[in-house]
Amino acid sequence: MSLLFVPVTPAELAAWAGDGRLDQPRPAFSATAGLRAAFDTSDDEDAEHIALLVASVAGLAAHGVRLIAVVEGSGEPSGDPDFGELRVAGLAYSAVEAIFADDAAEPTLPAAAEAARGLSLAQAWEDPAVVALLENADLLWHGAAEWGALIQK
């Protein structure tokens, strides 16, 4: 088992917290061997931070938001191994250890969200507006019980 970084929309987060389970298969990201090799890191904390950032860009491209739930678990390899992409299902909300989200007032967020929307993860990762967001805006940590405040942004 390892930390999984699961990009979600506000509606998905609300449904997950309310129902207690996220049963539908979905992408998640982890500090896999492929990610560690691609980003040339052997440090666990660095690898997990990279997986968090990758998940945030995947969420931005797919949903226009960086809202990431962190869960201890496992998944099946899927997608690009360089980005540590996995496929997960059946995640219990009680296993959520943290949620990361952007500050809604972050000035680089609108341009990055617009630029990334609909791009592949690899394309979004390289987009200059997304790079600026990653360089200038740290994701904010929230406890799992704070989900209600995060869906109102």
Side-chain angles (χ1 to χ4, degrees):
M1 291 239 220
S2 59
L3 288 181
L4 302 173
F5 299 91
V6 184
V8 292
T9 66
E12 289 169 336
L13 182 61
W16 187 9
D19 296 340
R21 288 192 70 76
L22 189 62
D23 289 320
Q24 191 170 18
R26 62 182 317 104
F29 300 86
S30 190
T32 62
L35 179 138
R36 290 170 186 267
F39 288 90
D40 192 28
T41 185
S42 59
D43 182 80
D44 290 342
E45 285 186 32
D46 284 346
E48 288 171 350
H49 186 251
I50 292 166
L52 170 63
L53 293 178
V54 167
S56 78
V57 172
L60 201 61
H63 314 296
V65 296
R66 295 197 310 164
L67 184 59
I68 310 301
V70 182
V71 180
E72 183 82 20
S74 60
E76 296 294 321
S78 174
D80 190 338
D82 289 350
F83 285 119
E85 189 171 349
L86 304 172
R87 192 116 189 96
V88 298
L91 299 174
Y93 193 78
S94 61
V96 173
E97 297 180 5
I99 303 167
F100 287 88
D102 274 308
D103 177 347
E106 170 54 44
T108 59
L109 183 58
E114 185 176 324
R117 190 83 161 160
L119 296 179
S120 71
L121 175 55
Q123 291 169 323
W125 186 260
E126 298 292 330
D127 186 275
V130 173
V131 171
L133 177 66
L134 293 174
E135 290 175 348
N136 296 304
D138 290 330
L139 289 162
L140 304 177
W141 181 94
H142 302 274
E146 297 178 74
W147 68 269
L150 296 172
I151 65 169
Q152 312 227 347
K153 290 187 176 185

